[in-house]
Amino acid sequence: MQRTVLVIFIFTSLTIFLATIITNSSTGSESPQKKNENTQIDYSFIRKWGSNGTGDGQFVRPHDIAFDSKGYVYVSDRELDNIQKFTHNGKFVKNWGSKGTGDGQFNVPYSIGIDSKDKIYVVDRENHRIQKFDANGTFIAKGGNGRGNLDNQMNRPEDIVFSPFGIFVTDTGNDRILKFNSSFILVDKWGSKGTGDGQFIHPHAIDVDSKGKVYVGELNKPGVQVFGNNGTFLKRWGSNGTGDGQLSLPQEHIAIDSQDRIYIVDGASNPRVQIFDTNGHFLDKIGSPCKMSTREGCIDPDGHGPLKKGDGQFSKPEHVSIDSQGNVYVVDRGNARIQVFAPINKEGNT
């Protein structure tokens, strides 16, 4: 393993990356996908907000959602090229951003990461960079030195996650994972194009559990690959299909809650969020498709009815995030809205 310290984030006058290369190791794969009948919680729909449009609080193609320490909610819109800020219950606060290549402008703002000081990091995919803002949307810094595969470059990055074990970015066009320390210094990277263990074709989603294991999902390959936080390949699980514990394509986002439950967004053809343990055993699911014009597929998600305007139903969901209270927020992109679900126990209590 070769390591070189390099700085990605700078104030606008300088953007520096130096190189780090790490080698991958393979240990095997598995695809358990067995339902755990001892699951102790379900999820109840509690609120939604948003509609199609370009006004405040409206969306055209919402993509990611993230939370700061004060409970504010941030949503990226990859068509409007902006970030919108809301209270936890969906009250619009402000927005920032416009299409372009300048500081504070975006060309497909994709994922959002928030650090412990409530600084907002936006993956600016088609500008091949990450931009940093304060909670009011004031531009602070940017990282990335043009499109490419050098260590000071990115190629269509898509996801970012902050964890005690490092900051991880899916450098999707380069089929690799980048790892940074808390000062946003690049310390590791791994991956290459391919279908083998530790290789990727369009790594799309990433998150980290409480033990420091890194879970990576590929857009057009069902399931996840699991790594140590230094890039060591550990296992692979998941299979293609529409049953419980199977995943349809394209496979979207991954999120991990405080109890290390793993939430994976199924694709447009089977819109739902499935929940797994860290070994890939199916635990539960949220949502289903619903065609309100014909009522086809419209099922009350928590059994406490009645169904109202597709509550709990999804069209082309893209991202899922879990707040500090365990509430699950789903970006229901096809319906241009955010839906929120609260955990309940088997007796139906919140």
Side-chain angles (χ1 to χ4, degrees):
M1 180 187 300
Q2 174 184 350
R3 293 195 173 193
T4 310
V5 174
L6 42 56
V7 178
I8 179 174
F9 271 99
I10 45 85
F11 289 85
T12 57
S13 60
L14 187 62
T15 306
I16 302 174
F17 284 85
L18 298 173
T20 299
I21 298 174
I22 88 174
T23 18
N24 302 314
S25 61
S26 300
T27 60
S29 62
E30 58 182 60
S31 54
Q33 303 304 340
K34 295 168 64 178
K35 183 170 182 176
N36 183 341
E37 299 295 344
N38 296 319
T39 306
Q40 295 300 308
I41 61 170
D42 278 320
Y43 296 85
S44 175
F45 169 84
I46 57 172
R47 75 175 65 95
K48 63 188 175 188
W49 74 84
S51 60
N52 187 264
T54 60
D56 293 344
Q58 293 185 307
F59 307 109
V60 175
R61 189 167 181 176
H63 187 73
D64 195 15
I65 189 166
F67 318 99
D68 69 17
S69 66
K70 297 177 176 61
Y72 287 105
V73 181
Y74 301 80
V75 181
S76 62
D77 193 306
R78 52 185 292 184
E79 292 294 330
L80 295 178
D81 289 297
N82 69 10
I83 305 297
Q84 295 196 63
K85 180 178 180 178
F86 301 88
T87 64
H88 76 280
N89 59 3
K91 182 180 178 181
F92 175 81
V93 176
K94 68 179 305 177
N95 64 41
W96 73 87
S98 61
K99 189 173 185 65
T101 60
D103 295 343
Q105 294 184 309
F106 303 111
N107 187 1
V108 186
Y110 221 68
S111 296
I112 304 170
I114 301 180
D115 69 16
S116 60
K117 297 180 180 179
D118 286 342
K119 297 300 185 289
I120 316 299
Y121 296 73
V122 180
V123 178
D124 188 8
R125 191 183 75 176
E126 298 303 316
N127 283 326
H128 315 289
R129 65 185 181 182
I130 297 172
Q131 296 195 69
K132 178 180 179 181
F133 302 88
D134 68 17
N136 293 313
T138 301
F139 173 81
I140 298 174
K142 61 187 174 186
N145 189 23
R147 184 178 191 176
N149 59 10
L150 301 177
D151 289 314
N152 63 343
Q153 296 177 313
M154 298 180 190
N155 184 357
R156 304 183 84 213
E158 291 193 347
D159 203 4
I160 184 171
V161 60
F162 284 73
S163 81
F165 305 94
I167 304 161
F168 299 86
V169 173
T170 56
D171 187 12
T172 302
N174 288 319
D175 294 298
R176 66 184 180 180
I177 306 302
L178 304 177
K179 176 184 176 179
F180 305 90
N181 66 17
S182 59
S183 298
F184 236 103
I185 296 171
L186 183 64
V187 292
D188 273 333
K189 65 177 183 180
W190 71 85
S192 61
K193 188 177 184 65
T195 59
D197 294 341
Q199 294 184 309
F200 306 109
I201 297 179
H202 202 117
H204 183 63
I206 193 165
D207 209 344
V208 184
D209 71 15
S210 67
K211 306 293 193 302
K213 294 179 181 177
V214 180
Y215 298 74
V216 180
E218 297 165 80
L219 186 68
N220 295 311
K221 190 171 187 178
V224 301
Q225 293 192 66
V226 187
F227 300 88
N229 58 66
N230 63 353
T232 302
F233 175 82
L234 300 177
K235 66 174 72 175
R236 180 196 298 268
W237 51 259
S239 62
N240 191 20
T242 60
D244 289 348
Q246 295 181 311
L247 295 155
S248 59
L249 301 176
Q251 181 181 297
E252 297 287 350
H253 193 230
I254 295 172
I256 301 177
D257 70 13
S258 61
Q259 298 184 50
D260 284 345
R261 291 183 290 246
I262 300 166
Y263 299 69
I264 300 179
V265 181
D266 259 349
S269 62
N270 192 24
R272 60 183 178 174
V273 176
Q274 294 198 79
I275 307 167
F276 300 86
D277 67 17
T278 54
N279 292 312
H281 300 138
F282 172 79
L283 300 176
D284 223 324
K285 61 186 175 184
I286 301 172
S288 64
C290 178
K291 298 178 181 178
M292 291 304 294
S293 59
T294 62
R295 309 291 289 181
E296 180 183 352
C298 298
I299 301 169
D300 179 30
D302 62 10
H304 301 303
L307 179 71
K308 296 179 180 179
K309 296 183 180 179
D311 294 348
Q313 315 301 319
F314 304 130
S315 172
K316 302 175 183 176
E318 291 205 345
H319 271 230
V320 57
S321 293
I322 299 94
D323 70 12
S324 60
Q325 305 302 310
N327 297 315
V328 179
Y329 290 65
V330 179
V331 178
D332 186 11
R333 189 256 291 182
N335 289 316
R337 64 184 180 181
I338 306 300
Q339 295 200 62
V340 187
F341 302 82
I344 56 175
N345 62 28
K346 288 299 185 182
E347 286 70 42
N349 298 317
T350 57

